[in-house]
Amino acid sequence: MDSVPCLRVPQCQAQKLRRSLQSKGALDLSLSLVKDSDGTVLLPILASCLSQLELQSFRTTVASDDDFEVVWSKSALQSKKEKGRASSSKLEKVLQELLESHGERWTEELKRDIPRSFQRHGDLVLLGDTCFVLPLWENMDQQLWSTVARGLGAKRLAKIRRISRDGFRSPEVTMLLGAHSWVKHVDNGISYEFDVTKCMFSAGNITEKLRVAGFDCRGETVVDLYAGIGYFTLPYLMHAKASHVHACEWNPNAVEALKKNLEANGVSDRCTIHQGDNRQLQLCGVADRVNLGLIPSSEDGWSVACRLLRRATGGVLHIHQNVTSPVQHSTAGDAPQKVSGKKADREVWQAWAEDTAKHFASLLKDFTGTQWTTNIQHIEHVKSYAPHVHHVVLDLECRPS
């Protein structure tokens, strides 16, 4: 591949600048962004748009004095399709060799039974439950998993079947290859360690973690009501520079990982862990900011959040929710067709946000006996959770009147 122009940016600003480039039509969507060896991120730019880029406007976009530069990269970038094909073709090749050594023939049915997507956590690859289900694979025993690991460039393999209904959203994961199940995942300079058989890690929340990292929380006390292994607790401490974070978590396995991660990242002295049901939390009136990072809904924690805000000054709530957009029907043509669009989705999100703001104003009045003003600062779309279901975050400012 010939060298292509890229914008080199700090990792904590990468997602915001990627969106900015995409909105200007300057991002090369056929190429993958990559982390460089110095910790920066390379965003591929369309050569035709290069002359129109104004670096100062990007600094304004992210309110940052960081240096951005245009560089030319040759080996670092790879097309998204090529990346997927390379991994898939190598796996196919080694599996075909394995089957031939057992006197078996490679078929289209077997090809459809190998994984097309998976999660990678360091040297461990986590497979889904829809691959390697044909009876033929059972004859390969442990040799199969050694071969799959070699094909995917991994040392350990595991398979996730479902998320259990134990109240902790614990994954049902079986180790297929490897002596232990602890993994290390690095996002935005933050190290997360956890046991894949006991804790979840949502890569889909990376944009929200990067957004939190961009907050200025100096001098603030933050309460993270659903801390998990530190998904948001750590960005608040390490990048947003919160003075102190109270991290609430009731899953003992997640608490074990959270303690480990706070120590590993050198911020344990600025965090207090509260293990157990956050509805029983004894804190009151201490928070400048409360993170309610639970989906499909954090509503069980809304009253707790109201109790946590400072009585005199209030604060900001970050309320996560899965919001369902109603399916609209078009009568064009011979039969009704389901239609949806970004504008319709955003209208639904706005309506939910307005209802939520009113609800919090009422909760705060009931709790304090005084009037409160709630203001919608921002609605962030995190990811599509399911058809017509979107994970969004409402930034709600709450102040005593």
Side-chain angles (χ1 to χ4, degrees), residues 253-296:
N253 297 310
V255 169
E256 180 186 2
L258 176 58
K259 290 177 180 176
K260 190 181 184 75
N261 293 331
L262 290 167
E263 290 286 345
N265 289 283
V267 290
S268 58
D269 59 324
R270 289 163 42 224
C271 184
T272 303
I273 298 175
H274 302 269
Q275 184 173 346
D277 190 334
N278 61 31
R279 290 168 293 188
Q280 309 302 320
L281 192 63
Q282 297 302 305
L283 293 177
C284 186
V286 300
D288 301 290
R289 194 180 296 263
V290 181
N291 197 76
L292 297 106
L294 180 68
I295 56 173

Side-chain angles (χ1 to χ4, degrees), residues 28-74:
D28 190 337
L29 297 173
S30 70
L31 297 174
S32 301
L33 59 83
V34 293
K35 296 178 184 177
D36 210 355
S37 57
D38 62 359
T40 59
V41 172
L42 299 179
L43 302 174
I45 304 166
L46 292 170
S48 59
C49 299
L50 190 57
S51 61
Q52 305 166 25
L53 286 185
E54 296 180 9
L55 297 186
Q56 185 57 45
S57 68
F58 290 114
R59 293 188 183 92
T60 304
T61 297
V62 296
S64 171
D65 294 327
D66 289 320
D67 288 331
F68 306 140
E69 62 174 339
V70 174
V71 298
W72 290 79
S73 173
K74 185 173 184 178

Side-chain angles (χ1 to χ4, degrees), residues 11 13 125 194 260 266 317 326 333 343 365 381 391-392:
Q11 192 170 349
Q13 307 289 4
V125 164
F194 60 100
K260 190 181 184 75
L317 307 177
K343 183 180 178 182
K365 181 183 178 182
H381 178 247
H391 175 184
V392 300

